[in-house]
Amino acid sequence: MPQIDGKAGDWERVPDSYTYGTSYLKDTEDGHGAEIDTTDINVRVKVGWVSGLNRLYFLYEAYDDFWDFERFNPKGYLNDIFEIVVDGDMSGGPFIYNPLLPEARKWGNHPVHIQNHLAFSGYHAQNYHIFTPPVNGSWTLIWGAQPWIAAFPFAHHAYDFDLEHGASGKLTLEFWITPFDQAPFEGPDHALVSQLYENKVIGLSWSVLDFDGGERDGHFNLSHDTRMVSDASYLCAFRLMPLEKDQKPQIKADWSFGLMEHKDRTVAFRDESLGAVEAWYWDFGNGAYSTEQHPVYQYPESGVHYNVTLEVSGPAGKDKKTRFWEVMVP
């Protein structure tokens, strides 16, 4: 799990083959997918996930020959942007403008526009306009009705840069976000977090919007289609890959459990440890133990939480995992 501090050091273990550089992008500003001049702008993106956490981690490193971060200049343009869109359940389709509400595309206080914004924009896929670098205290603009998704505990970020407006230089951005299957404007109490697990396929893409002195110099796009910013059907398919073998610990204890039906107070435990394991020692939290790999145990009393520990051992050594207050016997 990377530490979000704006430093790229803890991403060095990620192989270069997992890096998305400028060559993966096309300039879709004019719709023709032109190649990008890397002396103008050059970027590297790494994406990761951590088992058990419904978060997507990003490392964004960018060189630009003209950093534009006046944000709202007299011509009405935004500053340089790293824009990402995520669709955690691959539901696809428009997610900014409801195609059944044509008036929704007209900005203003029209009742239909307000209805679309509150009930549709960003609901099933989320768009983040990330400022590079941030100005006026905001790190990202959420294109939708749920600005709360950009705040902790649903997102976290850190930058490293020493730039002046109009000058060249390098910026590093580290962040993580939480994808949502449902993200209503009412807030997180009504939201549904996307569940992330090994080999799941999600929708994801990003764009780099480069401004040079107020004029937009390009819209560099991973999906090679600018419609990705408002329609999740134009995102790329990303598979949540398992760790490479050389990245896995030699031995690591892990386990899960489930209550057995029609057997009172009986719990089935399953060993899910990594590495070469030769011996198992289960402590059921009440003085009882087992040396089986996948034991089944009937607790003597109900209505109690138990702290259960599995210790495994093998040629590479020992490891153990305790799950605190999770095993509840009804």
Side-chain angles (χ1 to χ4, degrees), residues 5 22 49 53 64 104 107 139 162 169 176 187 207 224 242 250 263 273 298 309-310 316:
D5 56 6
T22 307
W49 71 291
L53 296 176
D64 194 351
W107 292 97
W139 80 284
D162 183 12
W176 56 259
S207 294
H224 303 172
Q250 291 185 310
K263 291 187 178 181
S273 302
Q298 186 176 40
T309 299
L310 168 63

Side-chain angles (χ1 to χ4, degrees), residues 201-216:
V201 179
I202 65 172
L204 176 66
S205 188
W206 54 80
S207 294
V208 178
L209 281 68
D210 186 29
F211 295 87
D212 286 358
E215 299 293 338
R216 189 154 81 181

Side-chain angles (χ1 to χ4, degrees), residues 97-213:
Y97 301 111
N98 189 334
L100 300 180
L101 300 173
E103 289 293 322
R105 296 188 66 88
K106 300 177 181 179
W107 292 97
N109 293 321
H110 193 289
V112 174
H113 176 263
I114 296 174
Q115 175 189 353
N116 173 84
H117 183 67
L118 297 181
F120 191 81
S121 291
Y123 191 97
H124 76 88
Q126 293 81 50
N127 179 307
Y128 299 73
H129 271 55
I130 302 173
F131 301 118
T132 53
V135 290
N136 298 337
S138 179
W139 80 284
T140 186
L141 168 71
I142 301 300
W143 194 5
Q146 46 288 110
W148 51 268
I149 68 174
F152 195 84
F154 306 110
H156 189 39
H157 69 280
Y159 291 84
D160 183 30
F161 61 88
D162 183 12
L163 306 169
E164 294 183 3
H165 172 74
S168 63
K170 180 182 176 182
L171 174 142
T172 299
L173 165 63
E174 246 188 326
F175 66 98
W176 56 259
I177 60 170
T178 304
F180 291 87
D181 293 346
Q182 299 176 19
F185 84 97
E186 290 92 344
D189 291 343
H190 303 274
L192 182 62
V193 174
S194 302
Q195 299 300 302
L196 304 183
Y197 49 84
E198 189 173 300
N199 285 318
K200 181 178 183 178
V201 179
I202 65 172
L204 176 66
S205 188
W206 54 80
S207 294
V208 178
L209 281 68
D210 186 29
F211 295 87
D212 286 358

Side-chain angles (χ1 to χ4, degrees), residues 46-97:
K46 292 182 179 180
V47 187
W49 71 291
V50 176
S51 180
L53 296 176
N54 297 313
R55 301 172 179 173
L56 295 175
Y57 288 80
F58 293 82
L59 173 67
Y60 176 66
E61 299 174 291
Y63 167 83
D64 194 351
D65 68 339
F66 188 111
W67 285 101
D68 192 334
F69 48 91
E70 290 182 332
R71 191 167 180 185
F72 296 105
N73 59 51
K75 294 187 178 181
Y77 293 101
L78 289 170
N79 65 300
D80 292 334
I81 296 288
F82 178 50
E83 179 178 12
I84 67 167
V85 178
V86 59
D87 181 11
D89 60 358
M90 286 282 284
S91 53
F95 64 91
I96 295 295
Y97 301 111

Side-chain angles (χ1 to χ4, degrees), residues 239-255:
R239 184 178 299 276
L240 303 181
M241 299 296 292
L243 281 175
E244 299 281 2
K245 290 183 178 180
D246 63 353
Q247 301 291 321
K248 294 181 179 180
Q250 291 185 310
I251 190 167
K252 181 177 176 60
D254 199 6
W255 56 276

